[in-house]
Amino acid sequence: MRVLSGMRPTGRLHVGHLVGALDNWVRIQNEGNECFYFIADWHALTTNYDDVSKIYEYTIDIIRTFLACGIDPDKSVVFVQSAIKEHAELQLLFSMITPVGWLERVPTYKEIKQQLSYKDLSNLGFLAYPVLQAADILIYKPDGVPVGQDQVYHVELTREIARRFNYLYGQVFPEPKELLSHLPKLPGTDGRKMSKSYGNVILIDTTEDELREKILRMMTDPARKRRSDPGDPEKCPVWDYHKAFGTTDDEKEYIKNGCRTASIGCIDCKKVLLGHMIERLKPIWKRLDELKKNEEYVHRIINEGNEKARAFAIETIKEAREAMNLRF
Ligand code: TRP
Ligand code: SF4
């Protein structure tokens, strides 16, 4: 299978990205699929056009984190969207055949506009977000697109655009499927959705001390006000972390019983979790340190990835141009 996915460089990656997306990307890579993983910096501009100061820094930071978390540049093509101008050309071609009504109906269009109501999002680029995403995807003719639930509609629209193109100009694009990870979202340290704007994230690139402090201060089942109050793991965000970070079945039994009977305290429970998180993150921290000392290597990986992606994209854009009778 050929597979493609991307992330916008709007912040540094947190442990929710690790267990919700990156682990899945790495698994797909290691199962021997042909993978393209990229940074959607043009997409970041659709909402962040008014502050471009961090986009470069975040792009490098995220790619470094990809590599530290197991994305292997010998197996996967890692690249930056804006370096591959062919994405923009394909978006332009697709924009001819995409009714504006399709775009206004995209659920995330209205949702994000509401969420960011303090911001002027009447720009064309934001409305056209899914057309660019369709170009990102279809230019690599992938079989699958690993995404979270929030991106499914975008992949559906991508298929609609492919179908319309093929119908009008002849078969060029296959219709890719979304590859849903089905992993529940990891909550933030306050139990709400993990989000930079809530200040409740645990970054992948953190220290053991900082991690310990965040876990020990993390919200628990509010019923457990005192050590002697019983609680319910199902009402506790710490429990979601236990499920995501390799707590064993025996430990889970011990925690469930201990929590419900108040025979263990939340600190005991969190210490078990911390052991697992540190075990998981330590090798990543080590690789991050090495990569930070070797910026040149990261840049080389990006340049090589861009070359490979571009070579592929050029071939597809040739076909698309020919199909549309653009012969110069
Ligand atoms: N819209 C995606 C997100 O916000 C990012 C993205 C851009 C993407 N282009 C893509 C994801 C192509 C998968 C495939 O997460
Ligand atoms: Fe949460 Fe663990 Fe405390 Fe139960 S014991 S409330 S699962 S932190």
Side-chain angles (χ1 to χ4, degrees):
M1 265 205 325
R2 183 159 49 239
V3 156
L4 165 124
S5 197
M7 279 189 202
R8 285 175 302 144
T10 51
R12 307 185 69 203
L13 299 189
H14 52 60
V15 292
H17 293 115
L18 178 64
V19 300
L22 279 180
D23 278 348
N24 197 33
W25 291 14
V26 170
R27 184 181 51 77
I28 291 169
Q29 163 196 274
N30 291 340
E31 284 169 357
N33 298 294
E34 183 185 358
C35 301
F36 289 80
Y37 295 131
F38 76 103
I39 304 297
D41 51 353
W42 277 332
H43 274 112
L45 292 178
T46 64
T47 52
N48 293 13
Y49 57 84
D50 57 344
D51 179 11
V52 297
S53 60
K54 294 264 173 60
I55 196 163
Y56 177 77
E57 182 188 322
Y58 286 154
T59 297
I60 302 288
D61 189 81
I62 293 172
I63 290 186
R64 191 194 296 121
T65 310
F66 281 5
L67 300 176
C69 292
I71 302 288
D72 177 351
D74 289 331
K75 296 181 183 158
S76 298
V77 179
V78 178
F79 70 99
V80 178
Q81 181 189 39
S82 67
I84 319 298
K85 311 293 185 274
E86 287 72 16
H87 289 220
E89 183 174 351
L90 192 58
Q91 183 200 23
L92 179 116
L93 299 179
F94 285 164
S95 75
M96 306 303 166
I97 61 168
T98 308
V100 173
W102 286 8
L103 303 175
E104 287 166 338
R105 254 179 271 129
V106 173
T108 42
Y109 177 68
K110 284 180 214 144
E111 275 163 32
I112 294 178
K113 254 191 163 172
Q114 246 161 30
Q115 271 168 27
L116 305 180
S117 56
Y118 53 89
K119 210 169 213 175
D120 183 357
L121 288 179
S122 60
N123 51 322
L124 176 59
F126 181 61
L127 178 66
Y129 187 114
V131 189
L132 180 58
Q133 185 159 348
D136 294 339
I137 295 172
L138 293 174
I139 208 159
Y140 301 101
K141 299 184 176 177
D143 305 286
V145 187
V147 284
Q149 186 61 48
D150 62 321
Q151 294 296 316
V152 171
Y153 196 90
H154 285 150
V155 183
E156 278 169 14
L157 198 73
T158 298
R159 286 195 290 269
E160 304 272 346
I161 292 175
R163 221 172 289 143
R164 195 164 158 91
F165 186 101
N166 294 340
Y167 168 76
L168 287 166
Y169 313 114
Q171 176 68 36
V172 173
F173 298 106
E175 292 181 27
K177 282 194 239 350
E178 61 275 2
L179 303 175
L180 269 174
S181 69
H182 291 296
L183 290 164
K185 282 240 158 82
L186 207 58
T189 52
D190 57 0
R192 291 189 291 174
K193 174 179 181 284
M194 187 148 20
S195 160
K196 193 170 57 163
S197 51
Y198 292 153
N200 62 1
V201 306
I202 299 176
L203 294 178
I204 295 173
D205 190 358
T206 183
T207 60
E208 194 172 324
D209 286 344
E210 201 178 62
L211 178 69
R212 180 171 294 110
E213 195 189 309
K214 285 201 174 168
I215 295 296
L216 292 179
R217 283 208 328 239
M218 187 162 165
M219 203 192 96
T220 61
D221 177 358
R224 295 209 74 181
K225 278 195 197 63
R226 269 158 280 138
R227 168 73 172 71
S228 54
D229 294 330
D232 177 359
E234 298 305 334
K235 294 179 183 149
C236 176
V238 177
W239 187 238
D240 292 300
Y241 280 65
H242 276 292
K243 288 189 255 180
F245 281 95
T247 300
T248 64
D249 288 343
D250 283 350
E251 286 168 329
K252 280 185 193 153
E253 276 310 305
Y254 160 78
I255 288 162
K256 265 197 272 186
N257 291 330
C259 179
R260 287 180 182 142
T261 59
S263 64
I264 64 165
C266 291
I267 304 280
D268 304 315
C269 172
K270 287 175 170 182
K271 279 191 175 150
V272 175
L273 171 64
L274 264 168
H276 288 289
M277 288 188 81
I278 290 168
E279 187 181 304
R280 180 71 223 283
L281 291 168
K282 236 187 188 155
I284 295 177
W285 293 336
K286 185 161 166 277
R287 282 196 294 271
L288 278 172
D289 277 342
E290 290 160 6
L291 290 164
K292 279 182 200 167
K293 287 190 204 121
N294 201 348
E295 284 282 301
E296 239 171 81
Y297 170 76
V298 177
H299 283 276
R300 197 174 78 230
I301 294 305
I302 297 173
N303 290 334
E304 287 172 6
N306 287 347
E307 290 303 322
K308 289 184 207 157
R310 188 175 300 118
F312 201 113
I314 284 174
E315 291 307 312
T316 310
I317 205 77
K318 266 192 211 152
E319 284 179 62
R321 285 163 139 277
E322 260 166 48
M324 290 181 80
N325 207 17
L326 301 165
R327 293 196 255 162
F328 299 91

